[in-house]
């Protein structure tokens, strides 16, 4: 779909795709998606499950393709969060070093 701009992971602390400082949320979502099995997902009504499964089957690669799509998107978001975390960690470590305190990191 030409209007689809991608999968965006939003939290109360910001958008994970853009490196939001929501480290714990990024880890939880990533952990859950790493174990996801789209084919075994359920729905509250069988008609909904059938409709979703039919749509997934039309997607390039079917169930495996959807899982790759989800994994790829959360990995990119996790990488963005990691980059910000590492930058923040370095900034704080440098500030502690400059203040004369020795951080045992």
């Amino acid at each position: 779909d030409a209007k689809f701009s991608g999968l965006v992971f939003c939290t109360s602390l910001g958008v994970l795709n853009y490196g939001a400082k929501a480290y714990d949320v990024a880890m939880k979502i990533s952990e859950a998606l790493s174990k996801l099995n789209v084919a075994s997902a359920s729905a509250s009504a069988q008609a909904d499950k059938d409709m979703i499964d039919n749509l997934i089957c039309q997607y390039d690669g079917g169930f495996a393709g959807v899982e790759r799509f989800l994994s790829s998107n959360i990995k990119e978001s996790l990488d963005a969060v990691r980059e910000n975390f590492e930058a923040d960690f370095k900034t704080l470590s440098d500030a502690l070093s400059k203040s004369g305190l020795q951080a045992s990191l």
Side-chain angles (χ1 to χ4, degrees):
D1 187 327
K3 294 180 182 178
F4 183 68
S5 60
L7 187 59
V8 180
F9 297 96
C10 301
T11 74
S12 60
L13 296 172
V15 180
L16 296 181
N17 305 58
Y18 308 137
K21 295 180 181 188
Y23 313 124
D24 57 336
V25 176
M27 296 299 289
K28 286 289 187 187
I29 293 172
S30 298
E31 182 181 4
L33 286 179
S34 74
K35 299 173 186 174
L36 181 68
N37 181 337
V38 175
S40 68
S42 61
S44 56
Q46 187 59 44
D48 292 340
K49 168 90 171 123
D50 294 341
M51 177 193 65
I52 293 166
D53 286 353
N54 287 332
L55 288 170
I56 290 173
C57 287
Q58 294 173 27
Y59 185 84
D60 188 33
F63 288 96
V66 169
E67 288 177 2
R68 280 191 303 273
F69 172 78
L70 292 171
S71 294
S72 172
N73 277 269
I74 192 59
K75 183 181 179 321
E76 288 175 13
S77 296
L78 188 61
D79 288 343
V81 170
R82 185 193 76 238
E83 286 177 22
N84 279 349
F85 174 82
E86 289 173 351
D88 289 347
F89 192 92
K90 182 177 180 339
T91 298
L92 291 172
S93 181
D94 290 349
L96 288 170
S97 294
K98 288 177 185 174
S99 71
L101 296 174
Q102 292 300 314
S104 57
L105 305 175

